[in-house]
Amino acid sequence: MAPVLILLGPPGAGKGTQARMLEEDFGLIQLSTGDLLRAAVSAGTPAGLAAKAVMAAGALVSDEIVLAILKDRMAQPDVAKGIILDGFPRTSGQAAALDKLLAESGQKITAAISLEVDDAAMVGRVSGRHTCGSCGEGYHDTFKRPHTAGVCDKCGGLEFKRRADDNAETVRDRLTAYHAQTAPLIAYYEAKGVLERIDAMGPIAEIRHSLGQIIAGIAA
Ligand code: AMP
């Protein structure tokens, strides 16, 4: 059965960075509801129009909108390779809906991996981040600047993007939403016996290695 992995953790924990690396390392497909919602906002779809202000305020978009967007994505054939859910589920309603969706296709959660971090460091981690507008490579004002200022190391792109919600004030609201609505899912997956925890305060390469070991252990 193709793996179904969930990455849990507050904004700034490194879910997106690690999910992209797991795509490379294991040929899995990253499903980020944040990316899907941002694409809907840019495309101006009804779901995007409804989600835009909620996202800008750092609150959670309704389960109804998020589930519709996720189900559409999960209907595409590439997910048969196995998926890494990044930023989903974020509420107990979404977790229950995911269980049901997987059961309908004879699948179940392989592992929910909690990236454990200090909240205090997250505002700084998120506030400085930006990506190359051409290839999507991630950078940070303090922790990862391009080797030549203003030029993407990976593709030479000259345009960089910052997310509207990656400012200190909104990050604090996103952390509050995480603790109120998402952190209880850690106990939910622990009770199901699928929870793994890793220390995600160290270097990106170390966390990648720890995740790789967990996934290799599951596959073995
Ligand atoms: P992310 O890219 O995961 O940090 O998500 C950015 C924003 O999109 C969040 O602050 C929420 O407003 C919204 N969002 C992403 N995923 C979800 C989800 N599973 N449930 C509700 N809102 C979400």
Side-chain angles (χ1 to χ4, degrees):
M1 207 189 305
V4 176
L5 302 170
I6 297 171
L7 293 185
L8 288 168
K15 300 184 298 295
T17 302
Q18 294 298 336
R20 281 186 291 278
M21 290 177 169
L22 293 177
E23 282 199 314
E24 277 178 32
D25 294 348
F26 294 93
L28 302 170
I29 299 294
Q30 174 194 16
L31 294 191
S32 154
T33 43
D35 285 350
L36 294 171
L37 286 165
R38 278 183 288 280
V41 170
S42 306
T45 65
L49 291 174
K52 189 174 179 181
V54 179
M55 293 171 77
L60 294 188
V61 174
S62 73
D63 285 357
E64 193 190 355
I65 290 180
V66 172
L67 287 165
I69 255 175
L70 184 88
K71 277 185 192 168
D72 268 5
R73 180 65 186 87
M74 284 187 64
Q76 290 173 28
D78 61 344
V79 301
K81 295 180 191 169
I83 56 175
I84 315 147
L85 291 163
D86 156 13
F88 179 93
R90 258 177 158 101
T91 64
S92 54
Q94 292 178 16
L98 176 65
D99 287 343
K100 188 162 167 264
L101 190 67
L102 292 173
E104 280 164 11
S105 55
Q107 290 175 287
K108 58 185 172 62
I109 291 154
T110 318
I113 306 170
S114 169
L115 304 186
E116 312 252 305
V117 290
D118 296 339
D119 249 36
M122 293 305 107
V123 177
R125 267 205 202 180
V126 176
S127 314
R129 65 188 187 183
H130 49 283
T131 52
C132 171
S134 305
C135 73
E137 181 71 359
Y139 293 97
H140 192 282
D141 293 334
T142 310
F143 308 121
K144 190 188 164 200
R145 298 200 195 105
H147 295 307
T148 306
V151 183
C152 174
D153 296 343
K154 207 168 170 188
C155 77
L158 301 172
E159 302 280 336
F160 292 83
K161 294 194 294 194
R162 279 174 200 266
R163 278 172 47 177
D165 59 349
D166 276 354
N167 59 76
E169 196 189 321
T170 311
V171 176
R172 287 194 192 95
D173 292 336
R174 288 162 62 198
L175 282 167
T176 304
Y178 172 79
H179 287 291
Q181 289 162 278
T182 310
L185 299 184
I186 295 176
Y188 177 80
Y189 290 117
E190 190 158 41
K192 276 181 173 289
V194 292
L195 185 76
E196 303 276 351
R197 296 175 191 264
I198 61 171
D199 175 1
M201 285 306 290
I204 290 172
E206 266 177 32
I207 301 162
R208 180 183 200 165
H209 181 72
S210 308
L211 279 168
Q213 283 190 318
I214 290 176
I215 294 167
I218 293 165

